[in-house]
Amino acid sequence: MPSGDMHRVSALAVAKAQAARSTTPLDEEGTTQKIGDCTTARQEPCPVQTPEYRDMNGDGKDELLLGIASGRSKTFVHLWAFTVKDGRVTLIMDEDTRPVSVELSDHDVIVREPADSGYDVRRVYSWDRSEQAMQERVFEYVESSSKK
């Protein structure tokens, strides 16, 4: 990927390559196989969700954020983010979550997950220059958005 433009790469091809590279299956329901069988993202039974693009590392070029729905109720999501480094598509985030929401804000990925007793957990992932990856920067309990 000499251009460094993630928009020129098929998000589905990136998901298939990452799933094939994984040393363990994504879950017992065959998510890895379902990704391999996908012909179009966002169409059942393909677990690859709508790709999102945003400059997450501050280099002025968009990275790719993918959500992979998993589990029987599809409430479990594998979040993968990719950038182009030295002309190659490179994984910079690999997180598993049960999100209430996933947001992109400036250079951050914000994940809100249910917790006990009327609270959610809010995690903020930001670019870590020394690690060359998205790292959890904030972990906090917040009042649940469904508690009203």
Side-chain angles (χ1 to χ4, degrees):
M1 177 56 30
S3 73
D5 184 357
M6 285 302 302
H7 292 272
R8 298 183 64 149
V9 178
S10 162
L12 188 54
V14 171
K16 286 182 178 191
Q18 182 61 33
R21 205 176 2 253
S22 180
T23 57
T24 57
L26 296 175
D27 68 10
E28 300 81 36
E29 285 79 35
T31 301
T32 302
Q33 182 64 43
K34 289 177 185 174
I35 292 170
D37 294 342
C38 284
T39 56
T40 305
R42 303 173 315 271
Q43 284 188 351
E44 289 293 331
C46 185
V48 180
Q49 304 300 296
T50 304
E52 295 288 336
Y53 297 90
R54 181 72 54 95
D55 179 10
M56 292 183 233
N57 64 10
D59 68 354
K61 296 181 181 178
D62 284 345
E63 276 67 49
L64 167 65
L65 179 66
L66 286 176
I68 310 298
S70 182
R72 285 192 175 91
S73 62
K74 297 186 181 182
T75 58
F76 193 77
V77 174
H78 305 282
L79 286 178
W80 293 336
F82 301 88
T83 193
V84 177
K85 182 177 180 180
D86 300 326
R88 303 185 86 154
V89 175
T90 304
L91 182 71
I92 59 169
M93 182 177 175
D94 184 357
E95 295 294 331
D96 297 330
T97 182
R98 293 181 307 125
V100 171
S101 65
V102 177
E103 300 173 46
L104 292 169
S105 177
D106 196 23
H107 300 295
D108 297 333
V109 177
I110 303 165
V111 179
R112 196 169 177 138
E113 301 172 274
D116 294 331
S117 304
Y119 288 90
D120 290 341
V121 170
R122 182 175 165 267
R123 299 174 191 261
V124 178
Y125 298 89
S126 302
W127 181 250
D128 183 318
R129 189 175 308 274
S130 64
E131 294 291 324
Q132 293 292 292
M134 298 295 286
Q135 298 289 326
E136 186 179 286
R137 181 177 53 84
V138 175
F139 177 99
E140 63 186 355
Y141 288 94
V142 295
E143 190 172 348
S144 174
S145 55
S146 62
K147 180 185 165 187
K148 299 224 174 177

